[in-house]
Amino acid sequence: MKEFENQEKDWAQLNAYQKEAVLDESQTCLVNAHVGSGKTTVLIAKIRHLHEAKGIDYGDMIVLTFTNKAANEIKARLLASDPAIPKAELEGFGTFHSVALDLLKKRLPRERLGYTRTFQVITPDEEQDLALSIIKTEKLKIKYKNRLKKRLEAARLYSADRPVAPGTSDDDEILKLLALLTDEKIGQNKMSFSDLIQNATTLINETPALCPRWIIIDEVQDCDQLQLDFIHSLKNKDTQLFAVGDPNQVIYSWRGSIGNVFAILKQQYQAVEKTLPINYRSSASILSAAKCFLKNGENLKGIREPGSKIVVKNQYNPFNEACYLADKIQVFHEAGVPYSEMAVFYRTQNQSKVFEAVFTKNQIPFEVSLKKKVGDVPVLNWLIKLLRASLNHQDVSSAVEVLAHKEYGEKITAKKARKIVTEGLVEQSLLFNKIQGFRKQCANIKTVPELQGYFDFDLYIHPNAASYQADQDAIRDFLNRMIDDAAKKQRPILDSLISFINSSALYGIDLTSQSNQPIQTRTDAEIDAVKLMTLHAAKGLEFDRVFITGINYGLIPLRLKTPAEEAEERRLFFVGMTRARDYLELSYYTNPDDYHVIPGESRYINMIPPQLVENQSVTSQPVNLPELKRQIQAAQVIQDVEKATAKFACKEQIKNQADPTAPALPPALRRVSHKKYGIGEVISEDETMIEVDFENYGLKTFVKAFSELEVFGDQA
């Protein structure tokens, strides 16, 4: 009874557009879910409606997402509404890759393709290393090796009716490489991410009885060709398809998404299209400004009040902006805004460094949205290959690399390692003997100390190395996660370890999340920290206050070559703007500190109607570039870390003024004025340079001879 009460309560919260989508019974229904329109709510309502009102078992549904986070959210919300759902019924709910992996492990005859049940998943980097090894061994002529990953993806789409991508010629052996690489992966019992989708598609086409009653897809606009083929293989004449997405959020063409998925599916399946036009998230001002970057944004409607205008700031350089944002964020936080409700967006990942440094100095808690994967830590990269080779004796390449590693392992030559592995010479290598015997001993290993004792890692990470303690800690942490995962799943240890290794390849593991918060106490729900992330990483998130930085040509947008690239950059900027609920601040640099980036605001700033903008009067002044260059060169003698330290120390002094027990302070800071930056306080100066902290612009450093500063008030 409680289940039905919850269903009625949830149903009452849907608007007319959402209800229409949920109740639609078309063979194929595409839902154009505009930004902030309750896409996930509709997806879950559809799934529950099919199960509770139409009697469709969860096991008869395939629910496909693009991120593990989205899949877990859907499953968690379903289990919250009905805790009695057996988790086994939700095995078809996951990312494209995880669902394909599950099908290949449990339901599809993978042996037809030459694989065993214990096949392992390898990352794109591992696949590329394997390909490069084949190129070297076979002396293949391959063009554009620096783009090898993309060229292999394009070659996979080759068929009689789908020509290979441009760039292949008679003297280029990319297709031969692909054939050899495929054979090598089969021989080593490995599948890449693309193989999971492609192999599952091949076998599903040969196993028509597998087709589910319903296929439900989240973020369908991001599909690539392999994923569309996978969907088509799952869908027979009786299978119904419900797909939700937003063509205005196509921002992943660089990784293969097609871009016109809605048109393709409508034509292929004569789909009915529904629309969710109401944005519940952003204020009317933010939404109106964001719509300026859409080609077809007239259907997007907001229901909120205008709220505050969009703030536009001209910052001198990224360091000055970081100092300014540290102050601004602290003011917001003291006014009651949680740190976790504030986010700083940028175009490229390397822009985060200055924010990390300044926020750390100013004690602003932050979290960088960049998952550090196992392969990013040298000792863990070695460890994962050791475990791969131990679990899969066909994995020759991992075993060779483990033995011949230059920092870990036995440090023997690659030639000798390959001879030992291919000829099975266990008597010539203690570590290879351990690798070969692991599967037999695996059932007796249930704790981390037992696993450490079996491999005796201290013999191979070398106590004399400077990284010894860090390597020990990293190995112990990883093994703890792996053993804990095995205990939770209550499955045979061998199966659990293989599953964990495959998951770490697919999703990575947030081993050392880049945050200045203690990792032991951190969970996504508990972290109260400012989020630092690229515009791409921001998709699917929302915050009360958003700062988008570096809106200069060369960053936002990047230097573009085609109209299609320009259209995608605008959509990306639209995605960033619509993450904000109540406050949006945009900024650009006079001195971007990057010769690829043009000083001054990009055209995107000027595309926003003036009536929606606050502080637009703060515009760039004419810049004498040679003189500015001399100033910058002189200012470089003051290191960034010294700037941040001086500012932080100054704040502490000002804070201590209210404390009668505090030590005596130096004389009051001098105040100066500038025709552009207003009134500020002198932080430091010498014979050549002067550094001033302006209220609205943060720290500025000048060459005295060109500063145009004037003493403010009566300070003589």
Side-chain angles (χ1 to χ4, degrees), residues 260-296:
N260 60 338
V261 170
F262 268 63
I264 291 172
L265 293 178
K266 284 178 73 173
Q267 181 179 7
Q268 189 166 15
Y269 301 121
Q270 292 75 53
V272 170
E273 184 170 352
K274 302 293 181 182
T275 301
L276 305 181
I278 301 176
N279 177 286
Y280 291 95
R281 179 188 301 155
S282 301
S283 69
S285 294
I286 293 172
L287 201 60
S288 295
K291 285 168 67 174
C292 297
F293 297 88
L294 296 182
K295 184 177 180 181
N296 299 304

Short mmCIF file of all heavy atoms in Angstrom, two decimals, residues 260-296:
data_model
loop_
_atom_site.label_atom_id
_atom_site.label_comp_id
_atom_site.label_asym_id
_atom_site.label_seq_id
_atom_site.Cartn_x
_atom_site.Cartn_y
_atom_site.Cartn_z
N ASN A 260 23.41 14.17 -34.60
CA ASN A 260 22.04 14.22 -35.13
C ASN A 260 21.27 12.94 -34.79
O ASN A 260 20.52 12.39 -35.60
CB ASN A 260 22.06 14.43 -36.64
CG ASN A 260 22.80 13.31 -37.37
OD1 ASN A 260 23.62 12.61 -36.78
ND2 ASN A 260 22.51 13.16 -38.66
N VAL A 261 21.48 12.46 -33.56
CA VAL A 261 20.88 11.20 -33.13
C VAL A 261 19.35 11.25 -33.19
O VAL A 261 18.71 10.27 -33.60
CB VAL A 261 21.36 10.84 -31.70
CG1 VAL A 261 20.56 9.67 -31.14
CG2 VAL A 261 22.85 10.49 -31.72
N PHE A 262 18.77 12.37 -32.77
CA PHE A 262 17.30 12.46 -32.80
C PHE A 262 16.77 12.24 -34.22
O PHE A 262 15.81 11.49 -34.43
CB PHE A 262 16.86 13.83 -32.27
CG PHE A 262 16.57 13.83 -30.79
CD1 PHE A 262 17.56 13.56 -29.87
CD2 PHE A 262 15.30 14.08 -30.31
CE1 PHE A 262 17.31 13.56 -28.52
CE2 PHE A 262 15.02 14.07 -28.96
CZ PHE A 262 16.04 13.81 -28.05
N ALA A 263 17.40 12.89 -35.18
CA ALA A 263 16.94 12.74 -36.57
C ALA A 263 17.11 11.30 -37.05
O ALA A 263 16.24 10.76 -37.76
CB ALA A 263 17.71 13.70 -37.47
N ILE A 264 18.22 10.67 -36.69
CA ILE A 264 18.47 9.29 -37.12
C ILE A 264 17.41 8.35 -36.54
O ILE A 264 16.84 7.51 -37.25
CB ILE A 264 19.88 8.85 -36.68
CG1 ILE A 264 20.95 9.60 -37.48
CG2 ILE A 264 20.06 7.34 -36.85
CD1 ILE A 264 22.36 9.38 -36.99
N LEU A 265 17.14 8.47 -35.24
CA LEU A 265 16.18 7.57 -34.59
C LEU A 265 14.76 7.82 -35.09
O LEU A 265 13.97 6.87 -35.24
CB LEU A 265 16.26 7.71 -33.08
CG LEU A 265 17.56 7.23 -32.42
CD1 LEU A 265 17.53 7.48 -30.92
CD2 LEU A 265 17.81 5.76 -32.70
N LYS A 266 14.43 9.08 -35.35
CA LYS A 266 13.08 9.38 -35.86
C LYS A 266 12.88 8.73 -37.23
O LYS A 266 11.82 8.17 -37.52
CB LYS A 266 12.88 10.89 -35.94
CG LYS A 266 12.63 11.55 -34.60
CD LYS A 266 12.48 13.05 -34.72
CE LYS A 266 11.15 13.43 -35.34
NZ LYS A 266 10.93 14.90 -35.30
N GLN A 267 13.91 8.80 -38.05
CA GLN A 267 13.80 8.23 -39.39
C GLN A 267 13.82 6.70 -39.34
O GLN A 267 13.05 6.02 -40.04
CB GLN A 267 14.92 8.74 -40.28
CG GLN A 267 14.86 8.21 -41.69
CD GLN A 267 15.98 8.77 -42.56
OE1 GLN A 267 16.87 9.46 -42.07
NE2 GLN A 267 15.94 8.48 -43.84
N GLN A 268 14.67 6.14 -38.48
CA GLN A 268 14.85 4.69 -38.45
C GLN A 268 13.64 3.96 -37.86
O GLN A 268 13.26 2.89 -38.31
CB GLN A 268 16.10 4.35 -37.63
CG GLN A 268 16.52 2.90 -37.71
CD GLN A 268 17.91 2.68 -37.17
OE1 GLN A 268 18.47 3.53 -36.48
NE2 GLN A 268 18.50 1.53 -37.49
N TYR A 269 13.01 4.58 -36.85
CA TYR A 269 11.94 3.90 -36.13
C TYR A 269 10.60 4.64 -36.20
O TYR A 269 9.67 4.26 -35.48
CB TYR A 269 12.33 3.70 -34.66
CG TYR A 269 13.59 2.90 -34.46
CD1 TYR A 269 14.69 3.44 -33.79
CD2 TYR A 269 13.69 1.60 -34.95
CE1 TYR A 269 15.85 2.71 -33.61
CE2 TYR A 269 14.85 0.86 -34.76
CZ TYR A 269 15.93 1.42 -34.09
OH TYR A 269 17.07 0.69 -33.92
N GLN A 270 10.50 5.68 -37.03
CA GLN A 270 9.27 6.48 -37.12
C GLN A 270 8.83 6.89 -35.71
O GLN A 270 7.67 6.73 -35.30
CB GLN A 270 8.14 5.71 -37.81
CG GLN A 270 8.39 5.46 -39.29
CD GLN A 270 9.42 4.35 -39.53
OE1 GLN A 270 9.30 3.25 -39.00
NE2 GLN A 270 10.43 4.66 -40.34
N ALA A 271 9.76 7.46 -34.97
CA ALA A 271 9.53 7.76 -33.56
C ALA A 271 8.58 8.94 -33.37
O ALA A 271 8.55 9.89 -34.15
CB ALA A 271 10.86 8.07 -32.87
N VAL A 272 7.81 8.87 -32.29
CA VAL A 272 7.02 10.00 -31.81
C VAL A 272 7.93 10.85 -30.94
O VAL A 272 8.73 10.32 -30.16
CB VAL A 272 5.81 9.50 -30.99
CG1 VAL A 272 5.12 10.66 -30.27
CG2 VAL A 272 4.83 8.76 -31.88
N GLU A 273 7.84 12.18 -31.09
CA GLU A 273 8.68 13.05 -30.28
C GLU A 273 7.84 13.86 -29.30
O GLU A 273 6.84 14.48 -29.67
CB GLU A 273 9.50 14.01 -31.15
CG GLU A 273 10.47 14.86 -30.35
CD GLU A 273 11.45 15.64 -31.21
OE1 GLU A 273 11.48 15.41 -32.43
OE2 GLU A 273 12.18 16.50 -30.66
N LYS A 274 8.24 13.83 -28.03
CA LYS A 274 7.62 14.63 -26.98
C LYS A 274 8.64 15.66 -26.50
O LYS A 274 9.85 15.50 -26.69
CB LYS A 274 7.18 13.75 -25.81
CG LYS A 274 6.20 12.65 -26.19
CD LYS A 274 4.86 13.21 -26.62
CE LYS A 274 3.88 12.09 -26.97
NZ LYS A 274 2.59 12.63 -27.45
N THR A 275 8.14 16.70 -25.85
CA THR A 275 9.02 17.77 -25.40
C THR A 275 8.77 18.09 -23.93
O THR A 275 7.63 18.11 -23.47
CB THR A 275 8.79 19.05 -26.22
OG1 THR A 275 9.05 18.77 -27.59
CG2 THR A 275 9.74 20.16 -25.78
N LEU A 276 9.87 18.31 -23.21
CA LEU A 276 9.81 18.84 -21.84
C LEU A 276 10.40 20.24 -21.89
O LEU A 276 11.62 20.41 -21.82
CB LEU A 276 10.61 17.96 -20.88
CG LEU A 276 10.27 16.47 -20.82
CD1 LEU A 276 11.15 15.76 -19.79
CD2 LEU A 276 8.81 16.25 -20.50
N PRO A 277 9.58 21.28 -22.06
CA PRO A 277 10.12 22.62 -22.32
C PRO A 277 10.37 23.48 -21.09
O PRO A 277 10.98 24.54 -21.20
CB PRO A 277 9.00 23.24 -23.17
CG PRO A 277 7.74 22.62 -22.63
CD PRO A 277 8.12 21.22 -22.21
N ILE A 278 9.90 23.05 -19.91
CA ILE A 278 9.91 23.94 -18.75
C ILE A 278 11.17 23.74 -17.92
O ILE A 278 11.43 22.65 -17.40
CB ILE A 278 8.66 23.73 -17.87
CG1 ILE A 278 7.40 24.00 -18.68
CG2 ILE A 278 8.70 24.62 -16.64
CD1 ILE A 278 6.11 23.73 -17.94
N ASN A 279 11.94 24.80 -17.79
CA ASN A 279 13.15 24.79 -16.97
C ASN A 279 12.79 25.24 -15.55
O ASN A 279 12.28 26.33 -15.36
CB ASN A 279 14.21 25.72 -17.57
CG ASN A 279 15.46 25.82 -16.71
OD1 ASN A 279 15.46 26.45 -15.67
ND2 ASN A 279 16.53 25.21 -17.17
N TYR A 280 13.08 24.38 -14.59
CA TYR A 280 12.78 24.69 -13.19
C TYR A 280 14.01 25.22 -12.45
O TYR A 280 13.89 25.65 -11.31
CB TYR A 280 12.30 23.43 -12.46
CG TYR A 280 10.94 22.94 -12.91
CD1 TYR A 280 10.83 21.96 -13.89
CD2 TYR A 280 9.78 23.46 -12.36
CE1 TYR A 280 9.59 21.49 -14.31
CE2 TYR A 280 8.53 23.00 -12.77
CZ TYR A 280 8.45 22.03 -13.74
OH TYR A 280 7.21 21.58 -14.16
N ARG A 281 15.16 25.17 -13.08
CA ARG A 281 16.40 25.42 -12.37
C ARG A 281 16.80 26.88 -12.31
O ARG A 281 16.96 27.45 -11.22
CB ARG A 281 17.53 24.62 -13.03
CG ARG A 281 18.90 24.82 -12.39
CD ARG A 281 19.98 24.15 -13.22
NE ARG A 281 19.72 22.72 -13.34
CZ ARG A 281 20.15 21.97 -14.33
NH1 ARG A 281 20.86 22.51 -15.32
NH2 ARG A 281 19.89 20.68 -14.37
N SER A 282 17.02 27.50 -13.45
CA SER A 282 17.71 28.79 -13.51
C SER A 282 16.73 29.96 -13.43
O SER A 282 15.58 29.87 -13.87
CB SER A 282 18.52 28.90 -14.80
OG SER A 282 19.47 27.86 -14.89
N SER A 283 17.23 31.08 -12.89
CA SER A 283 16.43 32.31 -12.89
C SER A 283 16.18 32.75 -14.33
O SER A 283 16.90 32.35 -15.26
CB SER A 283 17.18 33.41 -12.13
OG SER A 283 18.32 33.82 -12.86
N ALA A 284 15.16 33.59 -14.50
CA ALA A 284 14.79 34.03 -15.85
C ALA A 284 15.93 34.77 -16.53
O ALA A 284 16.14 34.63 -17.75
CB ALA A 284 13.55 34.92 -15.77
N SER A 285 16.71 35.55 -15.79
CA SER A 285 17.82 36.30 -16.39
C SER A 285 18.89 35.35 -16.92
O SER A 285 19.40 35.52 -18.03
CB SER A 285 18.43 37.26 -15.36
OG SER A 285 17.52 38.26 -15.00
N ILE A 286 19.23 34.35 -16.13
CA ILE A 286 20.26 33.39 -16.55
C ILE A 286 19.77 32.61 -17.77
O ILE A 286 20.51 32.42 -18.74
CB ILE A 286 20.61 32.43 -15.39
CG1 ILE A 286 21.32 33.20 -14.27
CG2 ILE A 286 21.47 31.27 -15.88
CD1 ILE A 286 21.54 32.39 -13.01
N LEU A 287 18.51 32.19 -17.73
CA LEU A 287 17.97 31.41 -18.84
C LEU A 287 17.91 32.24 -20.12
O LEU A 287 18.25 31.76 -21.21
CB LEU A 287 16.59 30.88 -18.47
CG LEU A 287 16.08 29.68 -19.27
CD1 LEU A 287 17.02 28.50 -19.12
CD2 LEU A 287 14.67 29.30 -18.84
N SER A 288 17.50 33.49 -20.01
CA SER A 288 17.41 34.36 -21.19
C SER A 288 18.79 34.57 -21.81
O SER A 288 18.95 34.58 -23.03
CB SER A 288 16.79 35.70 -20.82
OG SER A 288 15.45 35.54 -20.40
N ALA A 289 19.80 34.77 -20.95
CA ALA A 289 21.16 34.96 -21.46
C ALA A 289 21.67 33.68 -22.12
O ALA A 289 22.28 33.72 -23.19
CB ALA A 289 22.09 35.37 -20.32
N ALA A 290 21.39 32.53 -21.51
CA ALA A 290 21.88 31.26 -22.05
C ALA A 290 21.24 30.95 -23.41
O ALA A 290 21.89 30.40 -24.30
CB ALA A 290 21.60 30.13 -21.06
N LYS A 291 19.98 31.30 -23.57
CA LYS A 291 19.28 31.01 -24.82
C LYS A 291 19.89 31.74 -26.02
O LYS A 291 19.68 31.33 -27.16
CB LYS A 291 17.80 31.38 -24.69
CG LYS A 291 17.01 30.39 -23.84
CD LYS A 291 15.63 30.90 -23.46
CE LYS A 291 14.74 31.02 -24.67
NZ LYS A 291 13.34 31.38 -24.28
N CYS A 292 20.66 32.78 -25.76
CA CYS A 292 21.32 33.51 -26.86
C CYS A 292 22.33 32.63 -27.59
O CYS A 292 22.75 32.96 -28.71
CB CYS A 292 22.04 34.75 -26.31
SG CYS A 292 20.96 35.97 -25.56
N PHE A 293 22.72 31.51 -26.98
CA PHE A 293 23.75 30.65 -27.58
C PHE A 293 23.16 29.41 -28.23
O PHE A 293 23.90 28.52 -28.65
CB PHE A 293 24.77 30.28 -26.51
CG PHE A 293 25.50 31.48 -25.98
CD1 PHE A 293 24.99 32.20 -24.91
CD2 PHE A 293 26.65 31.94 -26.60
CE1 PHE A 293 25.63 33.33 -24.45
CE2 PHE A 293 27.29 33.07 -26.15
CZ PHE A 293 26.79 33.78 -25.07
N LEU A 294 21.83 29.36 -28.33
CA LEU A 294 21.17 28.23 -28.97
C LEU A 294 20.69 28.61 -30.36
O LEU A 294 20.23 29.72 -30.58
CB LEU A 294 19.96 27.78 -28.13
CG LEU A 294 20.26 27.23 -26.74
CD1 LEU A 294 18.96 26.79 -26.09
CD2 LEU A 294 21.24 26.07 -26.80
N LYS A 295 20.77 27.64 -31.24
CA LYS A 295 20.24 27.85 -32.59
C LYS A 295 18.72 27.79 -32.57
O LYS A 295 18.04 28.56 -33.25
CB LYS A 295 20.80 26.78 -33.53
CG LYS A 295 20.40 26.96 -34.98
CD LYS A 295 21.06 25.90 -35.86
CE LYS A 295 20.67 26.08 -37.32
NZ LYS A 295 21.30 25.05 -38.18
N ASN A 296 18.18 26.86 -31.77
CA ASN A 296 16.72 26.71 -31.66
C ASN A 296 16.35 26.66 -30.18
O ASN A 296 16.12 25.60 -29.63
CB ASN A 296 16.25 25.43 -32.36
CG ASN A 296 16.57 25.43 -33.85
OD1 ASN A 296 16.16 26.34 -34.55
ND2 ASN A 296 17.30 24.42 -34.30
#
